[in-house]
Amino acid sequence: RNPGQTRGRRTMKVILKANTIKIAEDVTVDITARVLTFKGPRGTVKRSFKHMPIDIAFTDDTKREIRLERWFTSGKANAVIRTCTSHITNAMIGVTKGFLYKMRFVYAHFPINVSITNKDKRVEIRNFLGEKVVRVVDAIDDVTVKRSTDVKDEIVLQGNDIESVSRTAALIQQICAVKRKDIRKFLDGIYVSYKGNVIES
């Protein structure tokens, strides 16, 4: 072997990596070919794990516990188990408590004018940095957008699917990006100020 050559490290493969998740009391789950459907008091959320090389099944006939398994895995590939666990937990929280994001308007001179149309599904932003262009964002899936009743210059996003709520918030924030100016000075925009649940426990 050359003096400068190092032997490649081989990590041992784990035969089986698994995790179990208890299903919340008032939630029912249906598993069909790695597509999970969660039903709860607030509605239904669907999650597909077809892109993940894992086995998903109920531990027994009571269907109150889900087991996730990945065979012959090593290194960072183990992380897929915890990722899938988080998605399932978030879906169960969504159909029981729901997700709520609050966004505040930040402006130095030109007041941001926001109107909510299309049955709380569309956000129209006007007068951002004094521009005449109307910025439009459509809420994703079952997300609804409302003006805050008690706080000035605030909107509230609600929904059962955390991905849809957070992606809608991201679209609203990103459409108000300041172009061709120093963003340290021009801090105008609409930013997420709070993340929580619709039904606080």
Side-chain angles (χ1 to χ4, degrees), residues 144-155:
T144 59
V145 186
K146 288 186 170 71
R147 280 308 270 263
S148 183
T149 51
D150 52 348
V151 181
K152 182 176 175 279
D153 293 338
E154 186 179 72
I155 54 173

Side-chain angles (χ1 to χ4, degrees), residues 34-52:
R34 282 187 290 182
V35 176
L36 276 66
T37 308
F38 301 84
K39 288 180 183 168
R42 286 185 55 85
T44 306
V45 170
K46 212 171 196 180
R47 271 278 172 278
S48 174
F49 299 105
K50 284 182 179 287
H51 60 289
M52 291 184 174

Side-chain angles (χ1 to χ4, degrees), residues 30 85 107 168 178 192 195:
D30 178 57
T85 304
Y107 52 84
T168 304
V178 178
V192 175
K195 295 177 183 180

Side-chain angles (χ1 to χ4, degrees), residues 103 167 193:
M103 303 187 79
R167 277 175 59 206
S193 59

